[in-house]
Amino acid sequence: MDEIVKFVLPNPDTGSMLALSDVEPPTALIPGIAYRTATTLFCGQAKAGKSTLLRDLLQRIHSCHTSYQTVKSVVPHGNVRAANVLIISEEAGWAWAEFAEGLPGNAKEKDWLRVIHRGHGRISPGGREELRPWVDAVIERVKVHDIDIVILDPVTRILALESENENSEVLRALMEVERIATEGNCSVIMVHHSSKSGATARGAGAWEQQPDIILTLRALTEKEEVQNEDAVPKERIRVMEGRGRFPGIVDRAVLHMDEDRRYHYLEGAIMSGRTTADFDGERILQLMLKNPAMEYRAGDLSAVLDMDIQRFRRAMRSLCERNRVEKHGATKNATYTLAEEA
């Protein structure tokens, strides 16, 4: 006979307790990118420069540890904080040794960085039954080493997901990752691939629902152009787009990667060729393609995508005009289905 387990919920906070609370919002370790007790999903297409951008951020964190100067982030209007970082990576140890060697200063000044790589052997859970104890082990490391930021790269392999397309599988894993952030009082950055459009995370819809911050990094499309004073070559430009629960998240930042593989924000750059409605439309299509035969309601789609309803309707109007999506009924109670060629 199965044992019956009683689940006890904590006492809820009352309105007066909340009103008188002096709890501060989570600390921005890297403004717009990493916040204490929060999870970030960082997506990009293959060869878009995700690893290069992360190494750039690590170099900036190192500068915080070795100098008394303010160190700017890659996104505008934000400075990086000195932080202890734990990386769990599929990369080989020699690659990380090369990176650490390239950081200026003596060896001891680099101990803010700790890396668990594939050279250590078994670094990820063997299956779903091992995920929870694996997360417990990560939390233990976070507390022992006073870690501020944990990076899982790539998240699907580090968490040993059987399918990145299965909502229940992804949701269960992401809820465990949240424990690292909350119980470890740190930020967790999960590196993942994006869809072909570069606008959304690849796989199940849960990737878009659960994280506190979603960032995408992509190259310019053939139709896009960027006007900037420095006349930066198109192939060196990347677009980072973000959304989430914190006001410091930048909707869109145009970045330039220099010859030293360092990123710079292109102040005043003007993008042309695609509108916000075009990008939003790609996100809507990617979600609808997960269940192509389904009939969708506007409120359901906009809620899953965390998109303002008016912004959603502009994007949907564009999709309907281009015969990518078919609308059924009046706007207030309309439903939408994919057109046959979508």
Side-chain angles (χ1 to χ4, degrees), residues 11 30-31 37 48 50-51 59 141 165 168 181 261 273 280 288:
N11 288 327
I30 307 175
T37 72
K50 300 186 296 294
S51 296
Q59 289 175 314
R141 284 289 177 191
N165 299 309
S168 58
R261 301 174 73 81
D280 289 343
M288 294 179 73

Side-chain angles (χ1 to χ4, degrees), residues 285 289 322-326 337-342:
L285 282 177
L289 283 166
R322 290 183 284 135
N323 298 319
R324 306 295 303 278
V325 171
E326 294 181 358
T337 57
L338 285 171
E340 290 185 7
E341 298 300 319

Side-chain angles (χ1 to χ4, degrees), residues 276-298:
T276 300
D278 291 330
F279 288 104
D280 289 343
E282 290 298 329
R283 291 181 60 205
I284 293 168
L285 282 177
Q286 290 297 324
L287 181 57
M288 294 179 73
L289 283 166
K290 296 181 190 302
N291 291 291
M294 187 171 172
E295 194 166 316
Y296 293 89
R297 293 188 179 278

Side-chain angles (χ1 to χ4, degrees), residues 39-297:
T39 59
T40 299
L41 185 69
F42 180 38
C43 308
Q45 299 162 322
K47 309 300 181 183
K50 300 186 296 294
S51 296
T52 305
L53 180 57
L54 284 175
R55 280 170 164 75
D56 184 324
L57 292 171
L58 292 173
Q59 289 175 314
R60 293 168 194 260
I61 291 172
H62 180 67
S63 297
C64 290
H65 283 279
T66 57
S67 73
Y68 295 100
Q69 297 179 344
T70 298
V71 180
K72 292 184 178 181
S73 180
V74 294
V75 295
H77 316 305
N79 298 323
V80 176
R81 287 175 178 261
N84 294 327
V85 180
L86 171 64
I87 300 172
I88 305 178
S89 168
E90 70 166 355
E91 284 195 78
W94 66 264
W96 285 110
E98 188 176 70
F99 172 76
E101 185 180 353
L103 295 173
N106 62 58
K108 279 291 183 183
E109 290 178 319
K110 304 172 186 181
D111 281 346
W112 59 268
L113 175 65
R114 297 177 187 270
V115 181
I116 299 175
H117 52 76
R118 70 183 185 199
H120 287 108
R122 191 161 174 248
I123 63 172
S124 59
R128 65 175 60 187
E129 70 282 349
E130 290 188 358
L131 179 59
R132 191 170 185 82
W134 180 85
V135 166
D136 290 336
V138 174
I139 294 170
E140 183 179 356
R141 284 289 177 191
V142 166
K143 292 179 177 179
V144 167
H145 301 302
D146 197 22
I147 297 298
D148 301 297
I149 300 173
V150 176
I151 299 175
L152 307 178
D153 183 15
V155 63
T156 51
R157 298 180 88 172
I158 297 301
L159 297 181
L161 293 179
E162 294 179 6
S163 172
E164 66 180 31
N165 299 309
E166 183 63 42
N167 263 311
S168 58
E169 172 95 353
V170 173
L171 181 60
R172 176 187 56 80
L174 294 182
M175 289 177 70
E176 284 296 325
V177 171
E178 285 180 357
R179 289 181 50 228
I180 301 175
T182 54
E183 296 180 30
N185 192 34
C186 63
S187 165
V188 180
I189 299 175
M190 301 170 285
V191 183
H192 186 43
H193 289 292
S194 66
S195 61
K196 289 182 180 180
S197 70
T200 59
R202 189 180 71 184
W207 291 112
E208 296 278 319
Q209 300 171 35
Q210 202 64 21
D212 299 295
I213 304 158
I214 300 174
L215 303 174
T216 57
L217 184 72
R218 62 176 181 82
L220 293 174
T221 66
E222 291 183 3
K223 295 181 180 179
E224 289 177 321
E225 295 293 337
V226 169
Q227 301 173 29
N228 64 93
E229 294 180 356
D230 300 322
V232 176
K234 184 173 181 177
E235 62 272 15
R236 289 192 171 273
I237 292 177
R238 295 293 183 268
V239 180
M240 187 167 75
E241 293 169 306
R243 55 191 183 278
R245 298 188 170 97
F246 299 97
I249 299 170
V250 177
D251 290 341
R252 181 182 297 170
V254 181
L255 307 176
H256 157 227
M257 184 176 68
D258 65 22
E259 294 181 356
D260 296 323
R261 301 174 73 81
R262 299 296 298 271
Y263 279 90
H264 308 275
Y265 173 66
L266 285 178
E267 192 77 44
I270 301 173
M271 285 185 62
S272 61
R274 296 185 75 187
T275 66
T276 300
D278 291 330
F279 288 104
D280 289 343
E282 290 298 329
R283 291 181 60 205
I284 293 168
L285 282 177
Q286 290 297 324
L287 181 57
M288 294 179 73
L289 283 166
K290 296 181 190 302
N291 291 291
M294 187 171 172
E295 194 166 316
Y296 293 89
R297 293 188 179 278

Side-chain angles (χ1 to χ4, degrees), residues 5-26:
V5 178
K6 183 179 180 181
F7 194 97
V8 180
L9 287 171
N11 288 327
D13 289 344
T14 65
S16 60
M17 291 169 61
L18 294 168
L20 298 172
S21 172
D22 59 356
V23 176
E24 295 289 331

